[in-house]
Amino acid sequence: MKSARILLLSILAISCAIVPARAAVPIRLPVPQVQSYRSASIVLAADATARLSGAQIFIRAGLDRQTSAQNGLAALVAQSILLTPVRPSNLGLRDAVAAQGGSVDFVIDGGFVRFYLEGIAGAFERALVPLFATALAHPNFEPVMLAQARAELDAKIADDQKIPLTVGLEMLNASFFTGSNAGLPPYGLPGTLAQQSGTDAARFYAANYRSGGAVVSAVGAFANGGSQSLRSIVDALAPGSSDPVRVRIPALRGSARRLVTHRDIAVPWVVAQFPAPPLTSPDFGAMLVLASFLERTTQDVAANPTITSARFAERAVGSFYNFDERPASVVLYINGGLGDPTRPLSTALSVMQIFANSKLAGDIGKMKTIAAGSYLEGASSLEDRAWLAGVFVSQGLTPDYAAHALQAIADVRAADLQRVARGYLANPTLAVVLPRDTNASQN
Amino acid sequence: MIRAGAGLTAMLCASLFLFESPADATVERTVLPFGSTLIAAPNPNVATATVELWFRAPSTGYGHPVAGLARYAALAVAASKGASGSTLSQSVKDLGGTFSISVYPDALAVAASVPATADAAVLRSMTAAYFTPQLTNDGLRAGLRDAVVAATQKSFDPQVTLRDAIFAAIFSEGPAHYPTLPENIVALSTLSAQDVRAFASRAFRSSNAVVSLAGNLSANPASAVRGGRVDGQPAAAPVESLLFGAPQSVRGSFGEDAIGLGWRGPPISDARACTAMDFLSDYLFRDETGVVARVAAARYPDAYFSGQYITLHDPGVMLVAIAGKNDVSISTAALESVVRAQTPLEPSVFAAARTAFIYHILADTESPADAADNFGWYAVEGDPAYAPSDDAGKYVQLAGSLDPQYVAQIAKRYLVTPTVVTLTASGK
């Protein structure tokens, strides 16, 4: 505990000494336009410098629309759409898009299935959007197609099982979402996928691929203005909306808050999950600051700081704030490549405890600057920009994701950090992923 | 035959029209008073900016070759405290940005990606640090420590290990013969501070620098450049390495079974041939979409596979790296695929592959960091106007002009006998 206090004080002292107080300079980006269309939102960020155009299509057909017996059905429907043959080539959508100079893929979130369609700007409106809209409106769930979709999902599931962070997150999410099935594994399980028929897929599609609550968020150069072609995506969805499946999943308590599993990996991993305020909360800015502080502090504890920044795949320690999910969470992960991962975790938790309960005397300007920079780093690609604008609109906010977050960070005071740390970062649920040959006594 | 030809012409024209230079895209190129070349690709629609300095310099230094010297010197500069009391690396991280150093046999790049409003301040700090390098003992120690970490990471990385082994087997002398990251730091640790300073002063001259900027940039970024010197020296010529006479086979050991394949390719001066090699690399080897990559992923999901054409001053190298239990099967598939590539692709298949290739090129250079990297790389390799990031440049036009016969001809000329590196799992 003493070392943690010294660490915290030294971090705050450094923040005061090196970086003079900087007045925050606002970053002004063009604000995307938002239109309502058939109970959906179309967000359009025109960028005349872009050589590509991309659109994130959020449809309320995610994990929380499945019953537990339907585990994997949301992914099976989305994968089938990627494979649906489209004219004139009769290639599957994914290959047809590639042949026209683009790509299409999907992610299954707690509440949404989210497709990302991207392509050469000149082809996007003219060729890619019509291909996508056709497959979206008329997906093919015939047995051959479904078998191929299942096989591709089985491969994704197998790949995910090789990634300790994903394994840990799936374990944590299974108990984190207590009011819905949003914590089911994104692609299901091979056993449950095998049980989903074409009729099941067609029913799920008919019930949930609706325009109500959908968001189409596009960024890029649009020769024809963009609106008309993006509307055609919404037109591919039936009217109306669907509701999540209501369930009650018991929350973990007491000693059950540590989940352990084994995989064929080289070093142990620890993944910690904390509840967090939603994007719409007044505490959003404070949590952005705390999440980046948590990552940096844990990195400092776990390893000597390096001169260069580690790329995401190389990071032994990291954290992220899932503000796009409801409920939101903060995740901290540590791999054991640098030694026992529980030690930096313990120190980080101690630092957070001190943070929550001690009076902060230092300047928090540096923490805020780092948090703002980290946030913007995640907003530099076309895909990220479309995603962020879409997330903000899906939660009832305006699409100016940069201005909103930077203002939220600028407004944070020391007292906010303490209050939010105290309210959210005290008692995480842990997932421990161990190498298979680890002695059971180490559990 | 005539009909097929007409169809092909129509398809070629169609895919060329897919790409039009964006109306507002401009790339500014300026030579600064102290000799640096500045390339700036502004984009006011993104929230970040990337600031990079590129230098032509041998990774092994100017005298007796010392593997890793260029990287060590660049790290030490970034970790030495300047007049502000902070290091360059730390000041970038304190902005929430990322800082990186990339070293190639013939060049190195220092890069920072930061919030849009910080580009000028970072460019000021970066040029001040590198153009007038002040190496402190703490900076040298930190540089050596990072070299240890990098050497350890490299020992687990099949791609880097195989690349180094292939280059060592293709190039007989010069920096390309040596790894850019040393396997240990014995040689580096015997260098004096004076040795490192001497390298830094020669390599990091302002007149030897390409300043590459992309993203949401300040109005006049050139005014932020500091520390330049008028030294009467031109930029260094491209760094050359000598070749072995013929492709060879080499054996070694690694943590798992691995095979590397390498073919010498055209120099950057033959831009159309380089573009054809890029196309072949994309069509055959690109992750997830390449013909061989798809086969490898479907049949051997636990194996590692990558392939790319590395455009260099002279010659370039087509490189394939394979690791895992089925390395021989995948290697056979890769070798068979390059033999098939010597026969022209069916026109409709070629047209679709070429359109996909152009999309991949644009996607790979889309973010500010990717665009700045791309401009810097092609500038130090000798043909800045060939950078794929440049809308007004020649790359996309050349890509659009490729046809099945020409690509097959290039495959026949360059993808014949590879240099082969076979690494066996250490325990075997």
Side-chain angles (χ1 to χ4, degrees), chain A residues 5 8-9 353-361 418 422:
Chain A
R5 185 183 293 274
L8 174 64
L9 293 174
Q353 206 175 354
I354 295 166
F355 206 96
N357 296 303
S358 307
K359 184 173 168 58
L360 294 180
Q418 287 196 296
R422 199 159 41 231

Side-chain angles (χ1 to χ4, degrees), chain A residues 14 18-19 22 25-30 46-52 94-95 98-103 105 116 118-123 126-127 159 162 221 223 296 304-311 314-315 366 369-383 385 401-402, chain B residues 14 17-19 22-25 42-48 71 75-76 78-79 85-86 89-90 93-101 113-118 121 139 142-143 145-146 149 153 216 294 301-302 351-352 355-356 358-359 361-363 365-368 388-391 396:
Chain A
I14 288 167
I18 291 181
V19 178
R22 286 167 58 102
V25 181
I27 294 173
R28 292 199 173 81
L29 300 177
D47 178 350
T49 66
R51 307 196 291 179
L52 301 174
R94 186 178 53 202
D95 290 339
Q100 294 280 346
S103 62
D105 209 341
Y116 181 61
E118 183 184 87
I120 299 171
R126 184 181 50 75
D159 284 346
K162 296 174 199 160
R296 191 166 158 136
N304 283 321
T306 53
I307 299 167
T308 53
S309 311
R311 287 172 292 186
E314 297 168 349
R315 281 182 207 163
K366 178 175 166 182
T369 303
I370 293 171
S374 299
Y375 176 82
L376 295 177
E377 273 295 302
S380 58
S381 74
L382 208 64
E383 182 174 358
R385 290 153 62 193
Y401 55 86
Chain B
F17 281 112
L18 289 177
F19 178 75
D24 292 358
N43 179 356
N45 298 291
V46 294
T48 57
R71 188 170 187 279
L75 285 165
S86 184
S89 155
Q90 196 58 48
K93 292 178 184 174
D94 285 346
L95 291 164
T98 56
F99 180 77
S100 64
I101 290 172
S113 184
V114 292
T117 50
R145 194 176 59 220
D146 253 36
V149 173
Q153 286 175 337
N216 198 333
R294 285 170 88 146
D302 292 331
T355 303
I358 292 173
Y359 164 64
I361 289 292
L362 300 182
T365 54
E366 186 263 318
S367 73
S389 325
D390 190 348
D391 300 322
V396 177

